[in-house]
Amino acid sequence: MPNPQTPLIQADSLNLRINDNPILQDITLSLSAGEIVTVVGPNGSGKSTLLRALIGAMRPTSGRITRASGLRLGYVPQRLHIDPTLPLSVRRFLNLPRRHSRQAIDQALEQAGIPGRADSALTSLSGGQFQRALMARALIDAPNLLMLDEASQGLDQAGTAEFYRQLEHIRDRLGCGILLVSHDLHVVMRAADRVICLNHHICCQGRPEAVTAAPEYRALFGTDDDTALALFRHNPHHHPHDAHTEPDHAG
C-alpha cells in the first residue's frame, strides 16, 4: 500500500520524442490519492502519449517517472478492438489474464455502472456499456491510481455526465487517485479537482475555474465567454490539495 503522504506517481522534466518529433516537452507533474486530475488539450497535443508514458508503455527520451512503492494501477484505454466472432462473456473478459472471484467481478461491474452483465456476451454490449466493462476490468483489483484515456467515448451527453459522477463515487469509495484524458470540456471539468492544460508542454494547471480564466487556456480553446466558463465550475471537494487554486504557468 503506497504511503499516503507521498505522490502516487510523479514525472520530473519528462521529454518524449517519436521519430525525432517532440511529443512531450519538460513535463513535471504529480498525482495524489483522492485527487481527480483531468488532462485537456487539442488533438495531437500529447495527452494519450503522456498516459502511456506514465503507465510504462512508452519510454521517455529523458526525465524521470517515479511510482509509489506497491502502486496498483488501473488503466482504461481509449479503444480496444475485440474480434466480434470471439465467443467471450463479460465474466471471461474480466478473468483475463487471471481469474477473479464471482464477488469481485460483480462488485467491479456495479462500481463501473453495469451491474448484472457478467454473463452477457461482450459483443452484445453497446459502445457505452463496453467502455464500462473496460472500467470494471481496471477496477477489479482495487487500484490506488486509475487512469482513463477518453473513456467516455460512445456515451451521449447524459451518459457522459453520469460516467463522471460515477468516477467521483469510485474515488470516494476507493480513495484512489484518478487521472483522465478527455475532450468533453463542459462535463469533465465539473468532476475535476485539478486540470492540466497540455499542448506538448504544460500550458497551465490548477483548479478548473483558475485554468479556464488563464490566457493560455483561452488561446487554445478560443473562448472568452464567461457565461460558458460558468459551466465548468463545480462544487469543490474538501481534500488537502484544495488550497492550490492558482494556475501554474509553464510557458
Side-chain angles (χ1 to χ4, degrees):
M1 184 72 178
N3 185 331
Q5 303 304 316
T6 62
L8 296 172
I9 197 165
Q10 183 168 333
D12 294 294
S13 302
L14 190 69
N15 291 278
L16 194 149
R17 302 175 72 89
I18 299 177
N19 296 328
D20 212 34
N21 294 317
I23 307 300
L24 299 175
Q25 300 175 321
D26 197 27
I27 302 294
T28 294
L29 61 85
S30 65
L31 190 118
S32 301
E35 184 180 24
I36 299 179
V37 176
T38 301
V39 180
V40 299
N43 290 337
S45 60
K47 302 186 299 294
S48 294
T49 299
L50 174 60
L51 258 64
R52 294 185 190 119
L54 291 175
I55 67 172
M58 298 184 73
R59 184 184 296 273
T61 307
S62 63
R64 183 176 63 179
I65 297 172
T66 306
R67 300 176 185 87
S69 176
L71 180 69
R72 294 190 306 275
L73 179 66
Y75 175 63
V76 182
Q78 188 174 33
R79 61 180 62 88
L80 180 66
H81 176 71
I82 299 291
D83 188 334
T85 66
L86 194 64
L88 189 65
S89 69
V90 173
R91 186 183 308 280
R92 289 181 63 191
F93 175 67
L94 296 185
N95 275 325
L96 298 174
R98 65 182 183 84
R99 293 186 64 83
H100 295 85
S101 70
R102 180 179 294 270
Q103 180 182 2
I105 289 174
D106 289 344
Q107 182 177 2
L109 290 173
E110 183 176 356
Q111 287 178 338
I114 49 170
R117 300 307 298 261
D119 295 317
S120 300
L122 201 61
T123 53
S124 73
L125 301 182
S126 68
Q129 290 171 336
F130 182 72
Q131 287 303 112
R132 289 178 181 272
L134 293 178
M135 169 80 84
R137 194 166 187 266
L139 291 173
I140 201 163
D141 289 319
N144 310 117
L145 175 58
L146 180 63
M147 291 190 178
L148 307 98
D149 188 358
E150 300 280 11
S152 64
Q153 64 176 358
L155 301 176
D156 59 18
Q157 186 172 2
T160 299
E162 175 58 31
F163 182 85
Y164 288 113
R165 282 194 292 270
Q166 194 82 15
L167 284 183
E168 291 185 296
H169 295 324
I170 289 168
R171 183 272 308 275
D172 294 341
R173 186 180 298 119
L174 298 180
C176 62
I178 298 178
L179 179 64
L180 61 113
V181 163
S182 183
H183 65 276
D184 300 309
L185 299 178
H186 285 74
V187 177
V188 74
M189 281 190 160
R190 298 180 64 181
D193 297 307
R194 179 159 52 100
V195 175
I196 295 174
C197 189
L198 184 73
N199 193 18
H200 302 292
H201 67 285
I202 294 178
C203 304
C204 55
Q205 65 175 309
R207 294 296 296 271
E209 53 267 42
V211 168
T212 52
E216 296 89 345
Y217 175 90
R218 292 170 179 257
L220 277 180
F221 293 104
T223 179
D224 57 3
D225 184 350
D226 288 334
T227 61
L229 294 180
L231 293 171
F232 296 134
R233 301 184 187 278
H234 74 305
N235 294 323
H237 303 282
H238 298 291
H239 299 297
H241 53 268
D242 276 352
H244 305 295
T245 58
E246 294 302 316
D248 175 22
H249 302 292

